[in-house]
């Protein structure tokens, strides 16, 4: 189908002829050209450039979503208003400025333009992880790959309209800031009334809410035999041991217990992102281990998470295979 498109466009250009400096087209093939964007934050104009050619795809802000597509399919309708696809040939070398500047340079000039009047845009998005994965078993999301295909696309040309059953625009990758859960110390906090265990940095936290109270008890555990639970398990028709990783738009208070160990969580700082622990499988994944020892009346509870996966919408990443949430201190009466 790509060859058919190339032949049709070549024929149209030959019919029109060309002046000195105009592009003489041999093939129209952007298969091996990397897609880029005028603004990698909004991603509203994505394009591919060859020396004297451009293939452009325009869409509204927030429509290219950094999240794997459900059932591998996301469709938009080409309307030549909000969703536009067009090809341009130039009489000179085309650059990013030619495409992206609010006032494009006077040269090069467009010698040929095809624009899509109908069809569908199919986008298949997949997570891109750091490769190779770190040795401790955690995974890092470094971006999202968006494979873009135009289905049943109709082009308005200098000659008759041309319809393509399928035209592959190709891949476009959006980078993201990797999430690596790590804390400056291994001192965790315990809210005995609210049943929470957490650790935090200035602007992020990992917290187990509705913690099974049997996991934090002022009783020593035998060596190698910690108390165990699973994330998101059900007890008496209630979901317990709910794990959340939150990233905030500002810093948490210096005394974090004023934020977590209250019945109504303060609204400041606001939450930027929330990742939820995937429910665990006993002895397999999403495991919470608590090992307890004491001196006099001071009990130390080491909280470890094993084989935990975090999820937001359809995106997932793993924390370290053996992750120390921290050590909680309680004092017996």
């Amino acid at each position: 189908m790509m060859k058919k498109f190339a032949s049709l466009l070549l024929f149209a250009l030959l019919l029109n002829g060309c002046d000195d400096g105009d592009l003489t087209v041999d093939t129209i093939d952007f298969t091996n050209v990397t897609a880029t964007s005028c603004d990698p934050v909004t991603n509203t104009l994505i394009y591919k450039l060859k020396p004297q050619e451009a293939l452009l795809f325009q869409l509204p802000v927030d429509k290219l979503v950094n999240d794997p597509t459900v059932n591998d399919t996301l469709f938009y309708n080409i309307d030549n208003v909000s969703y536009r696809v067009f090809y341009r040939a130039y009489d000179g070398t085309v650059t990013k400025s030619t495409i992206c500047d609010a006032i494009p340079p006077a040269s090069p000039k467009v010698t040929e333009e095809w624009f899509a009047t109908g069809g569908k845009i199919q986008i298949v998005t997949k997570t891109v992880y750091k490769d190779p994965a770190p040795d401790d078993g955690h995974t890092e999301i470094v971006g999202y790959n968006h494979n873009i295909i135009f289905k049943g696309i109709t082009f308005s040309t200098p000659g008759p309209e041309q319809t393509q059953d399928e035209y592959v625009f190709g891949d476009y990758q959006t980078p993201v800031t990797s999430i690596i859960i790590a804390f400056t110390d291994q001192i965790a906090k315990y809210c005995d009334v609210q049943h929470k265990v957490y650790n935090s940095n200035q602007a992020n936290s990992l917290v187990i809410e509705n913690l099974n109270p049997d996991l934090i008890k002022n009783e020593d555990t035998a060596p190698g035999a910690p108390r165990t639970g699973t994330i998101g398990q059900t007890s008496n028709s209630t979901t317990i041991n709910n794990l959340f990783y939150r990233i905030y738009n500002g810093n948490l208070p210096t005394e974090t217990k004023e934020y977590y160990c209250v019945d109504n969580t303060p609204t400041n700082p606001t939450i930027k992102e929330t990742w939820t622990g995937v429910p665990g499988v006993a002895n397999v994944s999403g495991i919470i281990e608590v090992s307890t020892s004491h001196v006099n009346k001071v009990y130390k509870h080491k909280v470890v998470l094993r084989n935990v996966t975090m999820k937001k919408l359809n995106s997932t990443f793993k924390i370290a295979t053996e992750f120390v949430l921290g050590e909680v201190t309680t004092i017996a009466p």
Side-chain angles (χ1 to χ4, degrees), residues 194-233:
Q194 290 77 21
H195 301 300
K196 297 179 183 178
V197 169
Y198 68 93
N199 204 339
S200 62
N201 292 319
Q202 285 187 330
N204 57 71
S205 66
L206 186 65
V207 56
I208 306 174
E209 298 182 358
N210 201 18
L211 179 75
N212 183 349
D214 289 337
L215 291 175
I216 303 292
K217 295 170 36 174
N218 289 336
E219 299 175 6
D220 288 358
T221 55
R227 301 183 193 90
T228 62
T230 54
I231 294 168
Q233 74 182 72

Side-chain angles (χ1 to χ4, degrees), residues 34-285:
T34 301
T36 189
S37 174
C38 289
D39 185 342
V41 176
T42 61
N43 297 305
T44 55
L45 183 59
I46 302 168
Y47 61 89
K48 290 186 170 186
L49 298 184
K50 296 179 77 172
Q52 290 181 240
E53 301 169 89
L55 183 62
L56 303 101
F57 169 37
Q58 188 173 18
L59 72 167
V61 67
D62 295 333
K63 296 302 180 181
L64 197 67
V65 182
N66 283 338
D67 193 57
T69 44
V70 178
N71 300 323
D72 286 342
T73 303
L74 176 64
F75 283 106
Y76 298 117
N77 292 321
I78 297 172
D79 57 12
N80 202 30
V81 178
S82 297
Y83 298 89
R84 304 175 64 202
V85 180
F86 44 103
Y87 165 84
R88 287 174 178 167
Y90 296 82
D91 64 3
T93 302
V94 60
T95 65
K96 179 178 179 180
S97 296
T98 311
I99 304 300
C100 300
D101 285 3
I103 302 177
S107 180
K109 295 180 180 179
V110 176
T111 59
E112 186 76 23
E113 180 175 86
W114 286 26
F115 63 90
T117 58
K120 289 186 178 292
I121 304 158
Q122 175 184 298
I123 302 176
V124 177
T125 300
K126 295 184 178 180
T127 308
V128 179
Y129 294 98
K130 183 178 180 179
D131 186 25
D135 293 337
D136 64 1
H138 83 271
T139 56
E140 296 177 32
I141 299 174
V142 296
Y144 291 87
N145 188 77
H146 312 274
N147 182 258
I148 302 166
I149 299 175
F150 305 133
K151 300 277 191 177
I153 188 169
T154 298
F155 284 98
S156 176
T157 76
E161 285 192 336
Q162 306 295 340
T163 299
Q164 309 295 312
D165 293 334
E166 180 176 288
Y167 183 85
V168 178
F169 182 84
D171 292 334
Y172 172 66
Q173 185 166 316
T174 50
V176 296
T177 302
S178 297
I179 296 176
I180 303 174
I181 301 180
F183 299 107
T184 54
D185 61 52
Q186 293 188 347
I187 305 300
K189 303 292 192 304
Y190 177 51
C191 307
D192 56 345
V193 175
Q194 290 77 21
H195 301 300
K196 297 179 183 178
V197 169
Y198 68 93
N199 204 339
S200 62
N201 292 319
Q202 285 187 330
N204 57 71
S205 66
L206 186 65
V207 56
I208 306 174
E209 298 182 358
N210 201 18
L211 179 75
N212 183 349
D214 289 337
L215 291 175
I216 303 292
K217 295 170 36 174
N218 289 336
E219 299 175 6
D220 288 358
T221 55
R227 301 183 193 90
T228 62
T230 54
I231 294 168
Q233 74 182 72
T234 300
S235 176
N236 298 324
S237 300
T238 301
T239 303
I240 61 174
N241 300 334
N242 302 306
L243 180 67
F244 300 99
Y245 179 69
R246 297 186 178 100
I247 302 172
Y248 300 91
N249 287 309
N251 289 340
L252 291 163
T254 303
E255 181 49 67
T256 53
K257 282 200 170 187
E258 296 176 0
Y259 184 88
Y260 280 107
C261 297
V262 294
D263 292 334
N264 297 312
T265 303
T267 57
N268 188 38
T270 56
I271 297 171
K272 180 179 180 181
E273 289 185 41
T274 298
W275 292 78
T276 303
V278 173
V281 177
N283 302 315
V284 176
S285 64

Side-chain angles (χ1 to χ4, degrees), residues 266-313:
T267 57
N268 188 38
T270 56
I271 297 171
K272 180 179 180 181
E273 289 185 41
T274 298
W275 292 78
T276 303
V278 173
V281 177
N283 302 315
V284 176
S285 64
I287 301 167
I288 304 170
E289 294 181 349
V290 180
S291 302
T292 303
S293 62
H294 82 286
V295 175
N296 296 324
K297 293 185 176 183
V298 178
Y299 286 79
K300 301 287 187 181
H301 313 270
K302 184 180 180 181
V303 182
V304 175
L305 304 176
R306 293 189 184 275
N307 300 323
V308 169
T309 298
M310 306 301 295
K311 182 174 184 178
K312 179 169 71 79
L313 299 177

